[in-house]
Amino acid sequence: QVQLVESGGGLVQAGGSLRLSCATSGRTFSNYAMGWFRQAPGKERDFVAAINWSISGSSYTTYSDSVKGRFTISRDNAKNTVYLQMNSLKPEDTAVYYCVAGPPPPRPRVAIWNSYDYWGPGTQVTVSS
């Protein structure tokens, strides 16, 4: 059974940092795209970041404009884990953060939530002002 489990969420003051982890099991994810979405109360689920494979086989990362320069996505295939390092956090970053995984989508679909086959249950991140 395929599972994605997020951890590392919590309460942090504005300007602080958190590192989210997403541990995977049930299959090999090394050739899958992996990413993060988030959903704030009363809002739609938004794309945060993804690490994907191009047609040529090279890895590339994509970020939403709202987190570019502050967040960094990375993966450790040996540990079957993807990370999201979040720096300079802002109150507007408060949300439930979801890890996603799936066969590499075409580049235009990387930021679309239903491009991914697997989702974790989410971890809460709260940034106080």
Side-chain angles (χ1 to χ4, degrees), residues 17-83:
S17 298
L18 283 175
R19 188 175 82 151
L20 304 184
S21 299
C22 174
T24 66
S25 61
R27 64 153 293 132
T28 300
F29 283 89
S30 58
N31 59 341
Y32 267 25
M34 300 196 70
W36 294 89
F37 285 73
R38 66 186 182 186
Q39 187 168 21
K43 295 189 176 181
E44 302 214 339
R45 197 166 294 187
D46 290 332
F47 171 75
V48 176
I51 185 164
N52 196 12
W53 298 102
S54 70
I55 295 176
S56 65
S58 60
S59 176
Y60 68 92
T61 56
T62 306
Y63 298 91
S64 69
D65 288 341
S66 61
V67 307
K68 200 172 294 183
R70 300 187 297 123
F71 291 11
T72 303
I73 187 171
S74 62
R75 67 193 299 166
D76 185 337
N77 288 333
K79 296 182 178 180
N80 293 320
T81 301
V82 64
Y83 304 97

